Amino acid sequence: MCGIVGYVGPKPAEGVVIEGLRRLEYRGYDSAGIALVDGGSIVSDKRAGKLANLEKAIAESPLPPVTTGIGHTRWATHGAPTDRNAHPHVGRQRRVAVVHNGIIENFAALRHRLESQGVEMASDTDTEVAAHLLEEQLETGADLTVAMQTVCSGLEGAFTLVAVDAQDPDRVVAARRNSPLVVGIGEGENFLGSDVAAFIEHTREAMELGQDQVVTITREGVSVSGFDGTPAEGTRYHVDWDLSAAEKDGHDWFMRKEIFEQPRAVADSLLGRRGEDGLLQLDEMRLSDQDLRDIDKIIIIAAGTSFYAGMVAKYAIEHWCRIPVEVELASEFRYRDPILTSDTLVVAISQSGETADTLQAIRHARVQRSKVLAICNTNGSTIPRESDGVIYTHAGPEIGVASTKGFLTQLVACYLLALYLAQVKGTRFGDEISQVMDQLEQMPGHVQTVLDKADEVYALARDHVDSRSVLFLGRHAGYPVALEGALKLKEIAYLHAEGFAAGELKHGPIALVEEGLPILCVVPPRGRDQLHDKMISGIQEVRARGARTLCLAEEGDTTIEPYADVLFTLPQVPVLLQPLVAVVPLQLFACELASQLGHDVDQPRNLAKSVTVE
Ligand code: F6R
């Protein structure tokens, strides 16, 4: 939510900053802006809309070839997405320029104080107060680092701020509280970014910062301190993916590229999980076997797509480990006063590791002394850092706003967690766990089989460009798949789409069914008690009322044929693992339909990749 870039070094800052913003644009695209330090003054440009608008403006009115700058791509919170509210914001002397991600919660009081001292605000944003406050500090003789420490000590909320001072051209200063910021460490140059994509083409050496820290970058180095000025150390790490991972690789959209990367992402997420003794090992689990044996309840918290991964996890954990599992929306969790003890394991699932709702939920859980395990795709992000243990998924960078490979790899991590708990608690025999691991290791091939038939799904999507509404039905582990299929369609095709548990349909939603309504049905594999037959009954019920049934069913399932207007076959896999293959055609369907409708698939309206506000 908002992308931030900062640069100081020998290269022209405009190019570095604009290129960084391009890679961060998935975080927000309501407006974009840049500020450069040019011989004692700030030169800036900022435009509502996508980065392309800013680039056009700069092409018409070029910026000076200077070497220190900051930039921003915005997902609006305070103030409409206009030129006026676009970042950077400057102080009244235009000495300071600042960009910001997050929300300054006490901005109204600060703004009131500044206005009563005669400051005229040039925007409706909370950010602008930070520019004026920083300038106020500089006027007392403080340097930008000290000014940032002082100002941040008086701010409430969650924020990343990055600022430059016109009179100190070789320094960029940033601060963070509950909002992402990483440092890129180069040779004779240094970078700041909301994530490493901002500078990955220049350096793969990065540094993560703690909470309430200020970082100063110059050409020569990086220094870190607390808001109170105490010197601090960042944690250095090497980024193990490169620029090509952040490029589209010949696909029209990042989302499509990421859907096709799923066999690799699933395989990578399974890599190295079995020790030589055949036992499962989870490197960063960090919770002892005894801690895990003591667990008597699991609560999974997550948002959006990650929440649906959590729903699948519930089926797997309860079945394999016999531990009760609740799945809760992160945004609701702490407001219902959940019952948590030191024997409760809270599992937080987050692709970005920065989702504010999920972060606040785990903090609440930790205060109640529960153990927290993160399932996360982003190394060094806040949620795993604040958790007792972590299972990293290895999807690589997910740029498309709609999550795809993030979801599949979260499912893999959930299965691994369930099997690991079964191993530690002894609720499954070793050979049973090995058998499921073998099945999981075959999943990349099965996902590839589905992808090889993408054209079938694209044709289906093209047939539905005029649909105004699409329903999705599933049962058991197919129910979260139905919900996820509907979410994808809402997000990128802007269609009315709803997912239902098939058995629930007759309790109300079946009234929605009318002649020709497309209903995508996720049919469970045969052989699991009555699940398959019950699903077929649900499909018959909607078809009898005129629905057009688009069925996903396992290969060889002939019983579905009489009831399917369209049949797409899935590889034969166990019911609990079926989400890994069943969701793929739904992702392809949404991606193609949205493309046909002419929507921007990677940057859907009103959304942002990483939701760092509550
Ligand atoms: C859907 C999507 C969102 C995220 C949700 C949680 O395609 O991307 O629903 O799943 O905002 O994000 P993370 O997993 O980063 O916490």
Side-chain angles (χ1 to χ4, degrees), residues 303-306 349-353 355 401-403 410 487-488 491 611:
T305 290
S306 304
I349 308 179
S350 175
Q351 187 284 129
S352 62
T355 299
V401 162
S403 184
Q410 286 169 344
L487 179 62
K488 290 285 92 86
E491 281 181 298
V611 187

Side-chain angles (χ1 to χ4, degrees), residues 226-350:
F227 285 178
D228 60 1
T230 327
E233 294 282 325
T235 313
R236 286 190 61 155
Y237 63 102
H238 180 74
V239 182
D240 56 10
W241 51 272
D242 60 14
L243 183 59
S244 67
E247 302 283 1
K248 281 191 213 154
D249 252 356
H251 289 278
D252 52 350
W253 304 113
F254 277 111
M255 181 183 177
R256 208 183 305 262
K257 173 193 168 224
E258 288 161 5
I259 292 172
F260 279 88
E261 281 173 351
Q262 292 181 120
R264 173 102 316 266
V266 169
D268 286 352
S269 299
L270 285 165
L271 222 61
R273 308 295 194 179
R274 285 209 256 195
E276 278 176 10
D277 53 5
L279 291 179
L280 277 183
Q281 54 185 24
L282 298 176
D283 290 353
E284 303 201 51
M285 164 57 77
R286 297 198 293 260
L287 291 166
S288 71
D289 286 0
Q290 194 50 51
D291 281 343
L292 295 176
R293 279 189 206 106
D294 290 343
I295 285 161
D296 57 14
K297 179 171 79 171
I298 294 179
I299 305 183
I300 300 177
I301 45 179
T305 290
S306 304
F307 176 76
Y308 300 144
M311 287 176 72
V312 176
K314 174 181 165 74
Y315 290 98
I317 298 173
E318 290 189 340
H319 180 64
W320 288 330
C321 316
R322 313 305 300 156
I323 307 173
V325 181
E326 295 169 20
V327 192
E328 176 107 27
L329 289 170
S331 54
E332 289 292 319
F333 178 69
R334 64 188 170 129
Y335 302 102
R336 72 160 167 108
D337 196 10
I339 300 168
L340 295 158
T341 70
S342 54
D343 292 334
T344 310
L345 176 67
V346 170
V347 179
I349 308 179
S350 175

